[in-house]
Amino acid sequence: MRIMPSFFLIIISLTAASAATFSSAPAPAPAPAASATEFIRTSCVTTLYPETCYHSLSGYANAVQQDPARLALVAVGLSLSRATSMTLYVANLSRQAGYGSDPRAAGALHDCFSVFGDAVDQIRGSMKQMRRLTGSGEELRFQMSNVQTWMSAALTNEDTCTDGFSGVADGPLKMDVCDRTTKVKEVTSNALALVNSYVAKVVP
């Protein structure tokens, strides 16, 4: 399969932005207060993947403290980092010799790159909105509705990646991409759940 020049421009752009993306969430700090750690554990109970939620976010307890807004923001930032990493990973796979020996696998991989690119844009939009929350009432409801819509769309795009491999014969490529995508989906799902929990607390 031939990959258009624009594909490589996207890869270069993503690579250049990756350092900033991975700093979206605060750096983990040592020895968090027990109350902050417990707050994260309790909050993660509302997610579909509570163990993944707690283990991925507990390192940020000092930054989060017991603030649901900060927890949601950090969770969205972590989702952005994981989705960006997956996009770069798929892009690298696409450039490897021999990956296109099965046209169906090649097509699924290209589609996966495309939908993850969309997911990254949607999560990044959520991140920007979360950082600029203002007002209350209907204004805040509208802003958080945007975040919920974009995070939900990002999760759908991530689902589309694995769905695209349903017609591909089992093999190392399919297993690798689907396993990695599933882990990213869990983080994004958890972020959406924490956003929803925050909305339930602040929006009547």
Side-chain angles (χ1 to χ4, degrees):
M1 181 182 69
R2 295 183 60 191
I3 301 176
M4 297 184 297
S6 59
F7 179 86
F8 293 105
L9 292 176
I10 295 172
I11 295 172
I12 293 171
S13 175
L14 283 168
T15 304
S18 62
T21 299
F22 280 89
S23 64
S24 297
S35 57
T37 302
E38 187 58 29
F39 170 73
I40 292 176
R41 186 186 298 278
T42 301
S43 299
C44 283
V45 171
T46 65
T47 70
L48 289 178
Y49 310 99
E51 288 302 314
T52 297
C53 177
Y54 177 74
H55 288 301
S56 63
L57 294 173
S58 58
Y60 303 103
N62 280 341
V64 170
Q65 294 300 314
Q66 299 184 57
D67 187 333
R70 290 182 185 177
L71 179 59
L73 179 61
V74 169
V76 171
L78 184 62
S79 174
L80 179 57
S81 292
R82 298 290 176 84
T84 300
S85 177
M86 186 64 191
T87 308
L88 293 171
Y89 181 75
V90 172
N92 288 332
L93 282 181
S94 298
R95 291 182 291 177
Q96 292 179 11
Y99 88 94
S101 56
D102 180 351
R104 291 173 300 177
L109 195 61
H110 185 272
D111 291 344
C112 191
F113 172 82
S114 178
V115 296
F116 258 101
D118 291 339
V120 166
D121 288 340
Q122 290 153 347
I123 301 170
R124 185 177 290 120
S126 299
M127 190 81 181
K128 290 179 180 178
Q129 182 70 87
M130 288 287 292
R131 285 173 167 169
R132 297 198 304 258
L133 293 178
T134 57
S136 59
E138 287 302 317
E139 183 179 7
L140 182 59
R141 181 194 301 274
F142 174 75
Q143 293 168 353
M144 291 308 302
S145 176
N146 286 337
V147 176
Q148 290 171 302
T149 298
W150 292 331
M151 291 302 295
S152 180
L155 186 58
T156 297
N157 275 314
E158 293 168 3
D159 276 329
T160 301
C161 174
T162 50
D163 289 345
F165 279 88
S166 60
V168 177
D170 291 341
L173 175 66
K174 177 179 178 178
M175 182 178 297
D176 180 46
V177 173
C178 289
D179 285 351
R180 289 173 181 267
T181 299
T182 295
K183 292 176 182 177
V184 178
K185 284 162 49 179
E186 289 184 2
V187 172
T188 301
S189 172
N190 288 341
L192 176 58
L194 293 172
V195 165
N196 291 340
S197 293
Y198 172 64
V199 171
K201 289 181 174 70
V202 300
V203 179

